[in-house]
Amino acid sequence: MLETVLKNASFNFSSFNLYVQDESRFGLFTRNGKSLTAKGVKPICTYQNVFKSTYIFGAFSPYNGDSLVMELPYCNGDNFQIFLNELSKKNPQEFKVVVLDNGAFHKGKSLAIPDNIALLFLPPYSPELNPAELVWLNMKRKTTNLIFKTIEELKIEIDKIVETLITRDFNY
């Protein structure tokens, strides 16, 4: 499949790169996780049952550590198009092969794939094959058992987590 993608690409690019892409929902609903307590003591965790959320789109290169992470209000084709356009602008002379899942909006008919991007789809129902899932797992662990009163507070925390992710090597 990759050979087909590269054969169809025009070769007027200065470099090639591979990205893994995914999106994840982050919200005010509390993610409860493990807590350390004395033996026989049931942990007491604060909990919030609020269903406001935002979506984080991300593309990560396992080769050179390049990444693009964007917070967008919805997980749909229009926002995926915005994400692809921004990814295309990042190193525009680089041809990007983006590995992603089979989300319906990833294959929308109105989607305009930029010239310097090729999409390579994973087999259906196999999120475990996408290393980007590990980035989300890491980010969600850092927000486990935390309460955010507003979506803006959550976004500030996500920005801090993303900043630490992109300033150091990824630990897949």
Side-chain angles (χ1 to χ4, degrees):
M1 286 174 37
L2 185 56
E3 289 175 8
T4 307
V5 168
L6 292 176
K7 282 181 186 176
N8 293 335
S10 61
F11 285 96
N12 46 350
F13 297 101
S14 61
S15 62
F16 291 84
N17 202 349
L18 176 72
Y19 289 84
V20 293
Q21 190 279 332
D22 200 23
E23 49 283 322
S24 188
R25 183 177 65 83
F26 287 80
L28 299 181
F29 186 87
T30 307
R31 287 179 46 92
N32 284 332
K34 296 179 180 179
S35 296
L36 184 63
T37 64
K39 186 175 180 179
V41 176
K42 184 177 179 179
I44 298 172
C45 298
T46 55
Y47 181 78
Q48 179 172 265
N49 198 15
V50 177
F51 293 98
K52 292 182 181 176
S53 60
T54 189
Y55 291 87
I56 308 297
F57 286 66
F60 312 96
S61 172
Y63 289 118
N64 63 7
D66 278 354
S67 64
L68 175 66
V69 179
M70 292 178 68
E71 181 270 322
L72 295 164
Y74 303 104
C75 193
N76 60 23
D78 293 338
N79 285 320
F80 184 59
Q81 183 69 62
I82 292 168
F83 180 78
L84 283 179
N85 293 344
E86 290 301 313
L87 183 61
S88 175
K89 292 176 191 173
K90 184 179 176 83
N91 302 328
Q93 291 304 314
E94 173 186 79
F95 185 77
K96 300 160 181 64
V97 177
V98 180
V99 178
L100 66 167
D101 61 23
N102 282 281
F105 59 90
H106 292 156
K107 298 180 176 183
K109 292 182 181 180
S110 64
L111 201 60
I113 310 298
D115 291 338
N116 64 340
I117 293 179
L119 303 182
L120 187 61
F121 294 98
L122 292 168
Y125 309 106
S126 56
E128 69 278 1
L129 297 178
N130 192 344
E133 294 284 353
L134 299 175
V135 175
W136 306 141
L137 178 64
N138 185 358
M139 289 178 68
K140 288 184 178 188
R141 276 191 187 140
K142 293 177 190 268
T143 60
T144 298
N145 294 333
L146 298 178
I147 301 254
F148 301 98
K149 293 180 181 166
T150 65
I151 203 78
E152 285 72 28
E153 283 182 23
L154 174 63
K155 289 177 184 180
I156 290 168
E157 186 64 25
I158 289 171
D159 287 345
K160 289 178 189 174
I161 294 168
V162 167
E163 187 62 33
T164 61
L165 282 175
I166 61 175
T167 56
R168 65 181 178 142
D169 294 334
F170 289 105
N171 294 318
Y172 293 125

